[in-house]
Structures are given as C-alpha cells and as structure tokens.
Amino acid sequence: MLLAQLSNACTSKPKNRQTETYQYLHQIAEKIHRRSLIFVFTDMFQTTTSEEKLFEALRHLKHNKHEVVLFHVHDAKKELSFNFNNKPKRFVDVETGEHINLYSEQVKENYQTMVSTYFNTLRVKCGQNRIKYVAADINKNFDSILTSYMLERQKFI
C-alpha cells in the first residue's frame, strides 16, 4: 500500500500551487522541544509575502533555541549566470505553470544584477536573524556541500 502511494506520488502530475513551507516550520517549532540543529533546503522562490512568512517561521525556530541552517538550493549555471544561448526560450514555473517567452540575451544583464542582489539580500537577512546561510549549487556534489558546511561549523565550535 505504501509503495503504491509513493509510486502514485512520483508519477502523478503536480498540482499548480505554491509551497507554503512556513506553515510546516511553525509546526516543527511547536513540536520539537529539545534544542536541535535544523537544516532547511529551499530554492527560496517565493512571493514577497511568503518570504516574510518563511523568515517569521525561521525566527520562531530560533526563538525556541534551535540552530537553523538555510541551504539555498540553486543552479548556478542557469540561475546566476543565466547561461543560455540566444534562441527563443520558454521559461515555465513548475509550481504554478505560468510561463514567459523571451530571448535570454535581452534580459541577461538585468537578470544577473537582480538575482545577485536577491542572493545578497538573503545572506544579509539570514545574518541579521542569526541563521546560517549556505549556498547549495545543484551542480556540486551534495556530499561536498554538506562536508564543507560541517568542517566550517567544526572550526567555530
């Protein structure tokens, strides 16, 4: 029965809706009573309102004395460099199904500036809330990302 449900979840078409991670983080904050190390893996593609609610939930975890690490999952080759050829492209939001058609070269410079600013803003916001920010490029091996974090953490303990 469980195997059938997992199979169905993997093969069914996803619903077009936004993930509301913050609700689950609030639940975790309420249910975990011992001080814990909590890893949050997210792409941080959220509306401004949802982003504020996410940081509110992360602050809730910090208030309950948990150590919080935000692994910002991204594809550096595509999301930071916007490394696409100049053929027309259709970019589709996998959560909502919304799409946009464009030539990458027309928006590349502005896009890179805005994404760089956004990533820096996330780092600063995490720092202000004493949340460890770790950039997690999907093109790198997961083991190396986690090992680098753990070695860095060990230096400061």
Side-chain angles (χ1 to χ4, degrees):
M1 180 156 167
L2 179 60
L3 188 57
Q5 289 177 344
L6 287 172
S7 177
N8 186 35
C10 291
T11 57
S12 65
K13 192 172 184 172
K15 297 175 182 163
N16 292 338
R17 62 182 175 92
Q18 297 248 335
T19 307
E20 294 177 341
T21 309
Y22 61 90
Q23 293 176 339
Y24 301 108
L25 292 175
H26 280 298
Q27 290 175 6
I28 290 168
E30 291 301 321
K31 291 184 186 240
I32 298 177
H33 298 293
R34 290 180 46 189
R35 293 174 77 174
S36 301
L37 173 60
I38 298 176
F39 290 164
V40 178
F41 290 84
T42 178
D43 60 10
M44 290 304 292
F45 285 125
Q46 324 217 7
T47 63
T48 305
T49 306
S50 293
E51 184 180 315
E52 279 305 313
K53 289 180 179 180
L54 177 66
F55 272 97
E56 204 176 282
L58 293 172
R59 282 191 294 273
H60 187 184
L61 288 163
K62 289 295 294 178
H63 177 75
N64 288 357
K65 308 293 187 214
H66 300 297
E67 185 177 344
V68 179
V69 181
L70 179 76
F71 285 88
H72 183 195
V73 180
H74 64 279
D75 182 345
K77 289 179 185 174
K78 302 292 184 198
E79 293 176 47
L80 288 176
S81 302
F82 207 65
N83 196 13
F84 297 96
N85 59 28
N86 200 30
K87 293 181 180 176
K89 298 278 185 246
R90 172 175 279 198
F91 295 90
V92 180
D93 182 332
V94 295
E95 290 183 347
T96 65
E98 292 180 34
H99 67 275
I100 185 170
N101 299 320
L102 53 84
Y103 288 91
S104 62
E105 289 298 319
Q106 292 176 336
V107 298
K108 185 173 186 172
E109 190 175 322
N110 287 338
Y111 174 87
Q112 287 174 323
T113 302
M114 291 178 73
V115 167
S116 178
T117 300
Y118 178 65
F119 277 41
N120 288 331
T121 300
L122 283 176
R123 278 188 197 91
V124 168
K125 206 169 194 178
C126 284
Q128 290 170 337
N129 289 288
R130 294 185 1 249
I131 295 166
K132 176 66 178 163
Y133 175 91
V134 179
D137 182 0
I138 63 167
N139 297 302
K140 293 183 180 175
N141 187 337
F142 175 74
D143 292 342
S144 67
I145 294 168
L146 198 54
T147 302
S148 296
Y149 164 73
M150 295 306 277
L151 288 172
E152 180 185 328
R153 184 175 190 270
Q154 195 173 28
K155 289 178 188 176
F156 295 106
I157 291 182

